[in-house]
Amino acid sequence: MNRISPIKHLALIFVAVAMVLSACTPAATSEPQTIEITKIVAGTPVVEQVVVTATPLPEATAAPKPTGKITLWGWKAALDTIKGGVLDDFKNEYPDIEVEIVELSTNDLYQKLLLAISAGTGAPDISVIENSHLAQYVDLGGLTDLTDRVTPYLDKMNQYKWHDAQMDGKYYAMPWDSGPVVLYYRRDVFKAAGLPDDPDGVSQAIATWDDYLNACKTIKEKTHADCFALNKANNYGRLYEMMLWQQGLGYYNEQGEITADSPENIATLEKMVEFWDAGVVSDQQEWTDGWYAELGSNETPIASIVEAAWMGVFLKTFIAPGTAGNWGVALMPAVKAGQVRSANDGGSTMVIPAQSENPDAAWAFIEFALGREESQLKMFAISDFIPSLETTYSNAMFIEPDSFFGGQVTRKVYTEVVKQIPQAYVYGPNYTLMNGFISTAVQKVAAGQMSATDALKEAAEAIRLQTGTD
Amino acid sequence: MLESDVLSPSRKSPAPPRSHLWRDIVKARWPYLFVSPFYLFFLAFGLYPVAFSIYLSFTQWKGNGPIRFIGLNNYSLLLHDNVFWQSMLNGVLLFFIYVPIMTLLALVLAVILNSRRVRGFKLFRTLIFMPYITNMVAAGFTFQILLNEKYGLLNYLFGIFHLPAVPWLESVWGARISLGLLVTWAWLGYNMIIMLAGLQTIPNELNEAALIDGANPQQAFFLVTIPLLRPVILFSVVLSTMGSFNLFTEGFALFSGSRGHGPVNSAITPLIAIYEQAFGNFKFGYASAMSYVYFAIIFALTLLQVRYFGRED
């Protein structure tokens, strides 16, 4: 309830004033930070010698090095990676650039960035943006055109990453990391169910979502474990979007027409619904305590989860450290046999708002952090975020076995998958809006209120109405 | 003011000449200076946004770039916006779910505490009021854990008494009732304090007189105290009515996983819907139109309530 008492009124005004003032005054300078690279690998002895084959850098050109102060916005996981991976090296290389780092929650970051761009003041020099939100900010305007600067990297990055970064032939963002989707599975559960439990065997046995469904039924029958978590009431379409992505589908097509109710989309949703109908999935919602509990349990485990590579880090570190050695990484199933077994979920980029008074220094940082193999690899060593920079994949780090995953060379799987991520139309300028309507549609189907066809038709109509494209 | 106005003979009491007014202002310059910050802030952060969003409601604007005038399109689009009307309906349903119970509870608790027969009444008053000043995000998160279908404390207690587990946050009605629970918990103390303040303005003599005249305590309560408390109860109910449509933080915190929507939009409130259009979808023109339609509806509802309950018999 928002009954605004006079005191709250005053408080609101103070906050508003404070925001205006803080936008105008330069914030306190940050202390130089010395951060050691700490490896996030819990519970397992890890050989971590970051072997970096430094590629010879192009000799400094005649142009003087940029100087000055830049501000960088990001959220905790991203900033920890930057601080631990590249900040010190950057300071050595560019001693005259001072980097001020501002940590925000993702929601706050998006809202503040919108307000700063809208107000014409207060934006940072660099902001990290997730790919799911990137196109919306490109569409909003207020970002620096980076076309000339990113041109040397167009061929070196995962191709799908450039889709959301461009508008009308101009590029506005530099890719950081990618989210190749794989099938994480519990070796012990698969073994108990009499299924293959080595990664190659699982990849072969579960080649399609139909195979997956059968395996799930076997697991449920033999071990009583749920196959994966697929919440009904609050589902927000995450798995559905991955299934769309792997087929190169999405909510709209190349011409910008809304295709959320295409026959292919309907068939995809119906395929997902089969898992509910078979009663083989758990109802825990992602990122809640119940979900963490079943993923981290050895007594009542959940058999698998289809998710992007960053999930591996979260499993290791805070969700399921007690299950070390019991996980494996296989290819995600295809919707139809023979189709590509790869999709994207998440991933980030960096942008330079047009308000930046020092875009040269900002670009120097972005290029240093994201364009250099050495930097990307150092950040990769900390966070396991798969670099979008494909030239890093030949490094020895990518063939290290991972004891959390039973000694499997997981990063090799990730890089094989990431190169195959198809061009899809899930994210886009209206992603937030579309995802909202689709989530409701999926919830209606899950609750048995509507058929997949009717629910998606209803959602597509609403999207067409609100986006004004018909 | 024009000279001719001032001199106009048709006016019965001519306004003071301009110089006079100015002299008054100069004379009272310090008081004016000291009260001016409020008015300046009100102009900048109150009046200006309100006026600007009227204009915005006839336009299409992302928050940056050109503002395109589109006439009444936003308003006609709103007629077909199921989410918005669902959010208004949710406001009505929420009102019926928690306002009667909360108001009654607040009244009963206020009467008990007012009787001073309770030992440590200050402690109880503080305890009941405490949720009001508790951070709602923390409270919402705690309720999420308490109400979890599989691992929550509430369903665990249900299990002890062999009752079936209730999908509190996982079903349409469960979600609304959960939100009602959270709101009642958070706002009971606030309403109780209002009632308590009202009770304390009623002189004891009135009750005593009624008792001497032969009324029993129940009659004295229902025929003396309640009628006298009516304006206070009305005040509390009117605030709660606006409150059930104005809910924002409560729903956003309790259904953080679905950005305040709840299962199949069962818990989305008008404010959450407006916020999402503006700051999620960057549709500031449309969100402004929503705000104005929402304002008109709440205004009408409040008028009705004041007319219906507020009139003295």
Side-chain angles (χ1 to χ4, degrees):
Chain A
M1 260 179 280
N2 273 350
R3 290 165 196 169
I4 299 193
S5 65
I7 293 176
K8 275 192 180 168
H9 229 130
L10 260 182
L12 277 177
I13 288 169
F14 275 123
V15 169
V17 175
M19 272 165 61
V20 172
L21 294 182
S22 65
C24 303
T25 49
T29 50
S30 57
E31 291 292 311
Q33 308 171 30
T34 44
I35 289 132
E36 290 170 16
I37 297 181
T38 34
K39 284 293 298 177
I40 312 175
V41 180
T44 52
V46 177
V47 199
E48 275 319 338
Q49 196 78 22
V50 181
V51 187
V52 173
T53 43
T55 42
L57 298 164
E59 281 304 306
T61 46
K65 279 185 177 180
T67 59
K69 188 180 161 181
I70 52 172
T71 314
L72 166 69
W73 284 5
W75 49 90
K76 190 172 189 319
L79 294 180
D80 284 352
T81 309
I82 290 169
K83 286 179 196 167
V86 294
L87 201 57
D88 289 341
D89 292 350
F90 180 75
K91 279 176 180 164
N92 289 337
E93 179 105 7
Y94 293 92
D96 296 328
I97 297 179
E98 189 188 337
V99 186
E100 189 200 348
I101 288 185
V102 181
E103 183 179 317
L104 300 158
S105 74
T106 46
N107 272 339
D108 286 352
L109 187 148
Y110 293 132
Q111 191 168 325
K112 284 186 87 163
L113 190 60
L114 165 68
L115 292 176
I117 289 173
S118 183
T121 179
D125 297 286
I126 304 171
S127 182
V128 188
I129 294 189
E130 290 165 291
N131 271 78
S132 51
H133 286 70
L134 176 62
Q136 196 175 10
Y137 283 86
V138 171
D139 183 57
L140 178 67
L143 300 182
T144 303
D145 177 3
L146 301 176
T147 310
D148 294 339
R149 302 188 199 250
V150 301
T151 302
Y153 299 97
L154 288 180
D155 292 339
K156 293 184 179 173
M157 301 278 181
N158 300 146
Q159 284 309 299
Y160 85 95
K161 288 285 284 191
W162 294 112
H163 177 239
D164 298 319
Q166 64 169 316
M167 192 174 66
D168 303 331
K170 288 179 177 157
Y171 293 85
Y172 295 90
M174 178 79 158
W176 176 356
D177 69 309
S178 301
V181 175
V182 293
L183 171 66
Y184 291 100
Y185 69 96
R186 285 286 293 260
R187 290 166 189 261
D188 47 346
V189 179
F190 271 54
K191 193 168 191 172
L195 295 165
D197 65 323
D198 65 297
D200 288 338
V202 172
S203 291
Q204 271 168 26
I206 302 180
T208 64
W209 284 90
D210 288 329
D211 295 339
Y212 194 21
L213 183 61
N214 287 331
C216 287
K217 286 176 184 165
T218 309
I219 290 166
K220 186 80 186 177
E221 213 172 278
K222 299 256 175 76
T223 71
H224 303 293
D226 287 324
C227 197
F228 56 94
L230 190 59
N231 178 265
K232 282 187 169 180
N234 291 302
N235 192 296
Y236 55 94
R238 193 129 199 179
L239 183 67
Y240 176 57
E241 285 175 355
M242 292 182 228
M243 292 174 77
L244 290 178
W245 197 306
Q246 70 177 143
Q247 302 171 80
L249 300 171
Y251 300 138
Y252 60 105
N253 63 16
E254 217 175 332
Q255 289 77 42
E257 295 158 335
I258 303 302
T259 57
D261 56 351
S262 77
E264 293 84 5
N265 285 42
I266 292 168
T268 307
L269 184 52
E270 281 169 345
K271 183 61 66 191
M272 191 175 95
V273 170
E274 287 176 16
F275 287 82
W276 276 318
D277 292 345
V280 294
V281 287
S282 102
D283 197 41
Q284 293 304 320
Q285 195 181 348
E286 291 108 319
W287 314 109
T288 62
D289 284 349
W291 190 66
Y292 299 146
E294 62 184 20
L295 280 170
S297 171
N298 279 317
E299 292 76 37
T300 54
I302 191 127
S304 61
I305 173 173
V306 173
E307 194 42 281
W310 39 258
M311 191 69 205
V313 197
F314 294 141
L315 285 176
K316 266 188 224 180
T317 52
F318 77 98
I319 299 177
T323 60
N326 281 335
W327 288 90
V329 180
L331 298 177
M332 79 183 290
V335 176
K336 288 187 194 111
Q339 280 184 342
V340 61
R341 298 175 69 175
S342 169
N344 175 69
D345 185 27
S348 298
T349 59
M350 285 190 195
V351 298
I352 304 178
Q355 289 167 27
S356 170
E357 287 172 1
N358 205 346
D360 288 336
W363 174 253
F365 181 84
I366 292 180
E367 190 169 37
F368 186 92
L370 308 184
R372 281 194 197 193
E373 289 167 24
E374 188 184 343
S375 309
Q376 278 272 19
L377 285 167
K378 278 191 176 172
M379 294 200 290
F380 179 54
I382 289 172
S383 66
D384 249 357
F385 297 155
I386 306 297
S388 298
L389 188 62
E390 288 182 0
T391 51
T392 58
Y393 300 163
S394 53
N395 188 276
M397 276 174 75
F398 284 91
I399 49 168
E400 274 172 23
D402 190 332
S403 56
F404 182 84
F405 292 100
Q408 188 185 350
V409 184
T410 55
R411 288 163 174 175
K412 201 156 170 260
V413 184
Y414 300 151
T415 54
E416 272 165 25
V417 171
V418 77
K419 285 185 236 167
Q420 296 173 42
I421 294 175
Q423 176 66 66
Y425 299 88
V426 176
Y427 301 155
N430 294 308
Y431 174 67
T432 316
L433 186 152
M434 296 188 295
N435 174 265
F437 284 111
I438 295 300
S439 301
T440 309
V442 174
Q443 290 161 13
K444 282 182 178 172
V445 177
Q449 284 181 17
M450 270 189 172
S451 70
T453 313
D454 292 345
L456 286 181
K457 285 224 182 301
E458 186 188 67
E461 280 312 311
I463 292 171
R464 284 187 192 111
L465 211 60
Q466 293 219 351
T467 55
T469 49
D470 208 337
Chain B
M1 205 172 291
L2 293 171
E3 200 81 350
S4 61
D5 269 354
V6 176
L7 300 174
S8 161
S10 66
R11 294 210 168 208
K12 282 176 188 160
S13 55
R18 183 181 170 174
S19 59
H20 194 109
L21 179 71
W22 182 243
R23 228 177 19 241
D24 276 356
I25 291 175
V26 172
K27 216 157 100 189
R29 58 190 178 281
W30 291 111
Y32 274 121
L33 187 70
F34 285 126
V35 296
S36 63
F38 170 77
Y39 290 96
L40 291 177
F41 282 123
F42 178 70
L43 270 179
F45 299 107
L47 210 56
Y48 172 68
V50 168
F52 188 55
S53 58
I54 290 188
Y55 163 65
L56 275 186
S57 74
F58 299 108
T59 67
Q60 197 174 46
W61 189 46
K62 288 185 285 198
N64 187 35
I67 301 181
R68 202 156 64 85
F69 189 79
I70 55 167
L72 289 169
N73 275 8
N74 284 331
Y75 289 93
S76 67
L77 186 59
L78 194 53
L79 291 177
H80 307 285
D81 187 341
N82 291 339
V83 177
F84 179 70
W85 296 111
Q86 177 71 54
S87 76
M88 293 301 297
L89 178 66
N90 289 343
V92 175
L93 295 174
L94 265 169
F95 172 83
F96 286 110
I97 286 173
Y98 85 88
V99 174
I101 293 174
M102 184 181 71
T103 310
L104 191 71
L105 263 178
L107 182 64
V108 169
L109 286 171
V111 169
I112 292 173
L113 289 182
N114 195 42
S115 70
R116 309 263 173 165
R117 281 189 209 132
V118 187
R119 268 169 183 270
F121 106 102
K122 279 186 178 166
L123 175 73
F124 283 111
R125 194 178 58 186
T126 310
L127 283 180
I128 296 168
F129 191 70
M130 198 93 97
Y132 176 67
I133 51 166
T134 304
N135 181 302
M136 186 42 71
V137 176
F141 194 67
T142 311
F143 268 67
Q144 267 186 22
I145 297 171
L146 285 176
L147 297 172
N148 185 295
E149 189 180 354
K150 206 168 166 186
Y151 300 92
L153 181 66
L154 204 57
N155 276 349
Y156 173 74
L157 294 176
F158 273 41
I160 289 178
F161 296 105
H162 302 290
L163 294 165
V166 178
W168 294 106
L169 304 171
E170 308 281 325
S171 62
V172 167
W173 281 99
R176 289 183 187 130
I177 291 169
S178 303
L179 190 53
L181 277 176
L182 175 60
V183 174
T184 305
W185 174 84
W187 290 87
L188 179 64
Y190 177 86
N191 286 284
M192 184 204 68
I193 293 287
I194 293 177
M195 306 264 189
L196 198 57
L199 281 174
Q200 285 170 354
T201 62
I202 300 173
N204 250 341
E205 289 79 6
L206 293 174
N207 258 309
E208 282 166 13
L211 292 174
I212 288 168
D213 285 347
N216 62 32
Q218 285 79 20
Q219 286 172 321
F221 177 72
F222 284 108
L223 298 174
V224 177
T225 309
I226 293 286
L228 285 171
L229 203 58
R230 192 152 120 167
V232 178
I233 297 174
L234 174 72
F235 176 71
S236 158
V237 170
V238 168
L239 282 191
S240 301
T241 310
M242 286 193 266
S244 53
F245 289 93
N246 265 352
L247 282 176
F248 182 83
T249 325
E250 288 84 350
F252 218 78
L254 191 59
F255 298 100
S256 55
S258 54
R259 291 181 304 221
H261 285 242
V264 201
N265 291 329
S266 57
I268 192 170
T269 59
L271 280 204
I272 292 177
I274 292 169
Y275 169 83
E276 184 174 271
Q277 287 291 356
F279 294 97
N281 301 345
F282 297 3
K283 291 180 169 293
F284 285 90
Y286 188 54
S288 299
M290 285 168 94
S291 307
Y292 270 95
V293 171
Y294 165 69
F295 166 76
I297 293 171
I298 297 297
F299 190 69
L301 271 180
T302 309
L303 275 186
L304 270 178
Q305 236 173 3
V306 172
R307 280 267 166 89
Y308 185 69
F309 286 113
R311 186 166 287 163
E312 291 298 324
D313 296 315

mmCIF file of all heavy atoms in Angstrom, chain A residues 440-470:
data_model
loop_
_atom_site.group_PDB
_atom_site.id
_atom_site.type_symbol
_atom_site.label_atom_id
_atom_site.label_comp_id
_atom_site.label_asym_id
_atom_site.label_seq_id
_atom_site.Cartn_x
_atom_site.Cartn_y
_atom_site.Cartn_z
ATOM 1 N N THR A 440 2.599 -15.709 -19.200
ATOM 2 C CA THR A 440 1.203 -15.917 -18.842
ATOM 3 C C THR A 440 0.601 -17.055 -19.663
ATOM 4 O O THR A 440 -0.125 -17.898 -19.137
ATOM 5 C CB THR A 440 0.397 -14.626 -19.072
ATOM 6 O OG1 THR A 440 1.067 -13.553 -18.423
ATOM 7 C CG2 THR A 440 -1.005 -14.755 -18.536
ATOM 8 N N ALA A 441 0.938 -17.090 -20.953
ATOM 9 C CA ALA A 441 0.402 -18.149 -21.821
ATOM 10 C C ALA A 441 0.868 -19.521 -21.337
ATOM 11 O O ALA A 441 0.066 -20.457 -21.225
ATOM 12 C CB ALA A 441 0.844 -17.913 -23.266
ATOM 13 N N VAL A 442 2.159 -19.632 -21.035
ATOM 14 C CA VAL A 442 2.691 -20.921 -20.576
ATOM 15 C C VAL A 442 2.011 -21.325 -19.265
ATOM 16 O O VAL A 442 1.643 -22.485 -19.071
ATOM 17 C CB VAL A 442 4.227 -20.851 -20.402
ATOM 18 C CG1 VAL A 442 4.756 -22.133 -19.790
ATOM 19 C CG2 VAL A 442 4.907 -20.590 -21.733
ATOM 20 N N GLN A 443 1.801 -20.353 -18.377
ATOM 21 C CA GLN A 443 1.141 -20.651 -17.099
ATOM 22 C C GLN A 443 -0.292 -21.142 -17.322
ATOM 23 O O GLN A 443 -0.760 -22.051 -16.640
ATOM 24 C CB GLN A 443 1.130 -19.407 -16.207
ATOM 25 C CG GLN A 443 2.504 -19.030 -15.675
ATOM 26 C CD GLN A 443 2.584 -17.595 -15.188
ATOM 27 O OE1 GLN A 443 1.566 -16.930 -15.013
ATOM 28 N NE2 GLN A 443 3.788 -17.111 -14.972
ATOM 29 N N LYS A 444 -0.973 -20.524 -18.288
ATOM 30 C CA LYS A 444 -2.348 -20.951 -18.560
ATOM 31 C C LYS A 444 -2.384 -22.382 -19.082
ATOM 32 O O LYS A 444 -3.246 -23.167 -18.718
ATOM 33 C CB LYS A 444 -2.998 -20.011 -19.580
ATOM 34 C CG LYS A 444 -3.446 -18.697 -18.976
ATOM 35 C CD LYS A 444 -4.133 -17.822 -19.999
ATOM 36 C CE LYS A 444 -4.615 -16.532 -19.330
ATOM 37 N NZ LYS A 444 -5.122 -15.553 -20.307
ATOM 38 N N VAL A 445 -1.427 -22.709 -19.963
ATOM 39 C CA VAL A 445 -1.361 -24.072 -20.497
ATOM 40 C C VAL A 445 -1.020 -25.041 -19.366
ATOM 41 O O VAL A 445 -1.621 -26.106 -19.239
ATOM 42 C CB VAL A 445 -0.319 -24.160 -21.626
ATOM 43 C CG1 VAL A 445 -0.190 -25.589 -22.132
ATOM 44 C CG2 VAL A 445 -0.693 -23.230 -22.767
ATOM 45 N N ALA A 446 -0.072 -24.657 -18.526
ATOM 46 C CA ALA A 446 0.357 -25.522 -17.426
ATOM 47 C C ALA A 446 -0.799 -25.808 -16.477
ATOM 48 O O ALA A 446 -0.952 -26.918 -15.975
ATOM 49 C CB ALA A 446 1.507 -24.870 -16.665
ATOM 50 N N ALA A 447 -1.643 -24.787 -16.258
ATOM 51 C CA ALA A 447 -2.757 -24.959 -15.330
ATOM 52 C C ALA A 447 -3.922 -25.696 -15.981
ATOM 53 O O ALA A 447 -4.928 -25.974 -15.328
ATOM 54 C CB ALA A 447 -3.219 -23.594 -14.831
ATOM 55 N N GLY A 448 -3.789 -25.997 -17.277
ATOM 56 C CA GLY A 448 -4.859 -26.697 -17.966
ATOM 57 C C GLY A 448 -6.022 -25.796 -18.339
ATOM 58 O O GLY A 448 -7.093 -26.266 -18.707
ATOM 59 N N GLN A 449 -5.818 -24.479 -18.237
ATOM 60 C CA GLN A 449 -6.900 -23.549 -18.579
ATOM 61 C C GLN A 449 -7.125 -23.441 -20.077
ATOM 62 O O GLN A 449 -8.215 -23.115 -20.530
ATOM 63 C CB GLN A 449 -6.568 -22.140 -18.060
ATOM 64 C CG GLN A 449 -6.743 -21.958 -16.580
ATOM 65 C CD GLN A 449 -6.418 -20.523 -16.188
ATOM 66 O OE1 GLN A 449 -6.373 -19.639 -17.018
ATOM 67 N NE2 GLN A 449 -6.209 -20.310 -14.903
ATOM 68 N N MET A 450 -6.049 -23.640 -20.840
ATOM 69 C CA MET A 450 -6.110 -23.393 -22.283
ATOM 70 C C MET A 450 -5.217 -24.377 -23.004
ATOM 71 O O MET A 450 -4.270 -24.899 -22.430
ATOM 72 C CB MET A 450 -5.579 -21.990 -22.584
ATOM 73 C CG MET A 450 -6.604 -20.898 -22.562
ATOM 74 S SD MET A 450 -5.820 -19.406 -23.189
ATOM 75 C CE MET A 450 -7.242 -18.346 -23.313
ATOM 76 N N SER A 451 -5.488 -24.597 -24.283
ATOM 77 C CA SER A 451 -4.577 -25.391 -25.096
ATOM 78 C C SER A 451 -3.397 -24.511 -25.476
ATOM 79 O O SER A 451 -3.479 -23.281 -25.416
ATOM 80 C CB SER A 451 -5.290 -25.872 -26.355
ATOM 81 O OG SER A 451 -5.522 -24.771 -27.212
ATOM 82 N N ALA A 452 -2.302 -25.157 -25.886
ATOM 83 C CA ALA A 452 -1.115 -24.394 -26.295
ATOM 84 C C ALA A 452 -1.467 -23.457 -27.447
ATOM 85 O O ALA A 452 -1.035 -22.307 -27.494
ATOM 86 C CB ALA A 452 0.002 -25.350 -26.692
ATOM 87 N N THR A 453 -2.292 -23.940 -28.366
ATOM 88 C CA THR A 453 -2.669 -23.127 -29.525
ATOM 89 C C THR A 453 -3.399 -21.861 -29.088
ATOM 90 O O THR A 453 -3.043 -20.747 -29.487
ATOM 91 C CB THR A 453 -3.590 -23.941 -30.461
ATOM 92 O OG1 THR A 453 -3.003 -25.225 -30.652
ATOM 93 C CG2 THR A 453 -3.775 -23.242 -31.781
ATOM 94 N N ASP A 454 -4.431 -22.046 -28.274
ATOM 95 C CA ASP A 454 -5.234 -20.883 -27.872
ATOM 96 C C ASP A 454 -4.412 -19.892 -27.052
ATOM 97 O O ASP A 454 -4.503 -18.677 -27.244
ATOM 98 C CB ASP A 454 -6.443 -21.335 -27.048
ATOM 99 C CG ASP A 454 -7.440 -22.102 -27.903
ATOM 100 O OD1 ASP A 454 -7.322 -22.010 -29.143
ATOM 101 O OD2 ASP A 454 -8.307 -22.783 -27.344
ATOM 102 N N ALA A 455 -3.620 -20.426 -26.140
ATOM 103 C CA ALA A 455 -2.855 -19.545 -25.256
ATOM 104 C C ALA A 455 -1.838 -18.727 -26.045
ATOM 105 O O ALA A 455 -1.684 -17.527 -25.834
ATOM 106 C CB ALA A 455 -2.153 -20.367 -24.175
ATOM 107 N N LEU A 456 -1.152 -19.399 -26.993
ATOM 108 C CA LEU A 456 -0.144 -18.665 -27.770
ATOM 109 C C LEU A 456 -0.812 -17.690 -28.741
ATOM 110 O O LEU A 456 -0.284 -16.607 -29.000
ATOM 111 C CB LEU A 456 0.766 -19.635 -28.515
ATOM 112 C CG LEU A 456 1.776 -20.373 -27.632
ATOM 113 C CD1 LEU A 456 2.647 -21.300 -28.467
ATOM 114 C CD2 LEU A 456 2.657 -19.403 -26.861
ATOM 115 N N LYS A 457 -1.980 -18.057 -29.272
ATOM 116 C CA LYS A 457 -2.696 -17.128 -30.153
ATOM 117 C C LYS A 457 -3.092 -15.873 -29.379
ATOM 118 O O LYS A 457 -2.926 -14.750 -29.851
ATOM 119 C CB LYS A 457 -3.949 -17.802 -30.742
ATOM 120 C CG LYS A 457 -3.646 -18.795 -31.830
ATOM 121 C CD LYS A 457 -4.603 -18.638 -33.007
ATOM 122 C CE LYS A 457 -4.348 -19.673 -34.100
ATOM 123 N NZ LYS A 457 -2.985 -19.637 -34.654
ATOM 124 N N GLU A 458 -3.607 -16.101 -28.165
ATOM 125 C CA GLU A 458 -4.010 -14.972 -27.334
ATOM 126 C C GLU A 458 -2.807 -14.067 -27.022
ATOM 127 O O GLU A 458 -2.891 -12.841 -27.143
ATOM 128 C CB GLU A 458 -4.615 -15.506 -26.029
ATOM 129 C CG GLU A 458 -5.211 -14.436 -25.141
ATOM 130 C CD GLU A 458 -5.612 -14.994 -23.775
ATOM 131 O OE1 GLU A 458 -4.716 -15.400 -22.990
ATOM 132 O OE2 GLU A 458 -6.814 -15.029 -23.497
ATOM 133 N N ALA A 459 -1.692 -14.698 -26.660
ATOM 134 C CA ALA A 459 -0.493 -13.919 -26.328
ATOM 135 C C ALA A 459 0.011 -13.157 -27.549
ATOM 136 O O ALA A 459 0.364 -11.978 -27.465
ATOM 137 C CB ALA A 459 0.598 -14.844 -25.791
ATOM 138 N N ALA A 460 0.022 -13.837 -28.705
ATOM 139 C CA ALA A 460 0.525 -13.189 -29.927
ATOM 140 C C ALA A 460 -0.352 -11.996 -30.293
ATOM 141 O O ALA A 460 0.159 -10.946 -30.708
ATOM 142 C CB ALA A 460 0.562 -14.193 -31.067
ATOM 143 N N GLU A 461 -1.663 -12.139 -30.119
ATOM 144 C CA GLU A 461 -2.572 -11.021 -30.409
ATOM 145 C C GLU A 461 -2.237 -9.825 -29.520
ATOM 146 O O GLU A 461 -2.152 -8.692 -29.985
ATOM 147 C CB GLU A 461 -4.032 -11.440 -30.174
ATOM 148 C CG GLU A 461 -4.641 -12.246 -31.311
ATOM 149 C CD GLU A 461 -4.392 -11.605 -32.668
ATOM 150 O OE1 GLU A 461 -4.640 -10.382 -32.798
ATOM 151 O OE2 GLU A 461 -3.917 -12.302 -33.580
ATOM 152 N N ALA A 462 -2.064 -10.115 -28.235
ATOM 153 C CA ALA A 462 -1.771 -9.036 -27.290
ATOM 154 C C ALA A 462 -0.430 -8.375 -27.633
ATOM 155 O O ALA A 462 -0.303 -7.144 -27.581
ATOM 156 C CB ALA A 462 -1.741 -9.579 -25.869
ATOM 157 N N ILE A 463 0.551 -9.187 -28.018
ATOM 158 C CA ILE A 463 1.860 -8.625 -28.375
ATOM 159 C C ILE A 463 1.727 -7.749 -29.615
ATOM 160 O O ILE A 463 2.262 -6.647 -29.680
ATOM 161 C CB ILE A 463 2.888 -9.752 -28.614
ATOM 162 C CG1 ILE A 463 3.199 -10.483 -27.305
ATOM 163 C CG2 ILE A 463 4.177 -9.192 -29.212
ATOM 164 C CD1 ILE A 463 4.025 -11.737 -27.474
ATOM 165 N N ARG A 464 0.976 -8.231 -30.609
ATOM 166 C CA ARG A 464 0.797 -7.448 -31.836
ATOM 167 C C ARG A 464 0.138 -6.117 -31.529
ATOM 168 O O ARG A 464 0.530 -5.069 -32.034
ATOM 169 C CB ARG A 464 -0.075 -8.220 -32.835
ATOM 170 C CG ARG A 464 0.682 -9.320 -33.513
ATOM 171 C CD ARG A 464 -0.103 -9.986 -34.636
ATOM 172 N NE ARG A 464 0.600 -11.197 -35.018
ATOM 173 C CZ ARG A 464 0.156 -12.421 -34.794
ATOM 174 N NH1 ARG A 464 -1.014 -12.612 -34.237
ATOM 175 N NH2 ARG A 464 0.881 -13.460 -35.134
ATOM 176 N N LEU A 465 -0.868 -6.173 -30.660
ATOM 177 C CA LEU A 465 -1.591 -4.959 -30.304
ATOM 178 C C LEU A 465 -0.660 -3.957 -29.625
ATOM 179 O O LEU A 465 -0.651 -2.772 -29.957
ATOM 180 C CB LEU A 465 -2.729 -5.340 -29.348
ATOM 181 C CG LEU A 465 -4.002 -4.511 -29.363
ATOM 182 C CD1 LEU A 465 -4.639 -4.546 -30.730
ATOM 183 C CD2 LEU A 465 -4.979 -5.055 -28.326
ATOM 184 N N GLN A 466 0.150 -4.466 -28.688
ATOM 185 C CA GLN A 466 0.950 -3.540 -27.885
ATOM 186 C C GLN A 466 2.237 -3.110 -28.561
ATOM 187 O O GLN A 466 2.798 -2.083 -28.214
ATOM 188 C CB GLN A 466 1.269 -4.168 -26.520
ATOM 189 C CG GLN A 466 0.027 -4.330 -25.694
ATOM 190 C CD GLN A 466 0.261 -4.024 -24.236
ATOM 191 O OE1 GLN A 466 1.384 -3.839 -23.791
ATOM 192 N NE2 GLN A 466 -0.813 -3.959 -23.471
ATOM 193 N N THR A 467 2.727 -3.896 -29.492
ATOM 194 C CA THR A 467 3.938 -3.455 -30.172
ATOM 195 C C THR A 467 3.585 -2.734 -31.469
ATOM 196 O O THR A 467 4.455 -2.160 -32.117
ATOM 197 C CB THR A 467 4.872 -4.632 -30.511
ATOM 198 O OG1 THR A 467 4.132 -5.583 -31.271
ATOM 199 C CG2 THR A 467 5.406 -5.280 -29.260
ATOM 200 N N GLY A 468 2.315 -2.778 -31.822
ATOM 201 C CA GLY A 468 1.871 -2.026 -32.990
ATOM 202 C C GLY A 468 2.383 -2.557 -34.309
ATOM 203 O O GLY A 468 2.359 -1.868 -35.312
ATOM 204 N N THR A 469 2.883 -3.809 -34.315
ATOM 205 C CA THR A 469 3.275 -4.406 -35.588
ATOM 206 C C THR A 469 2.316 -5.531 -35.881
ATOM 207 O O THR A 469 2.142 -6.422 -35.071
ATOM 208 C CB THR A 469 4.696 -4.984 -35.525
ATOM 209 O OG1 THR A 469 4.789 -5.786 -34.362
ATOM 210 C CG2 THR A 469 5.727 -3.895 -35.496
ATOM 211 N N ASP A 470 1.689 -5.488 -36.996
ATOM 212 C CA ASP A 470 0.710 -6.523 -37.302
ATOM 213 C C ASP A 470 0.999 -7.142 -38.662
ATOM 214 O O ASP A 470 1.520 -6.513 -39.526
ATOM 215 C CB ASP A 470 -0.692 -5.934 -37.301
ATOM 216 C CG ASP A 470 -1.707 -6.993 -36.922
ATOM 217 O OD1 ASP A 470 -1.376 -8.189 -37.098
ATOM 218 O OD2 ASP A 470 -2.786 -6.658 -36.472
#
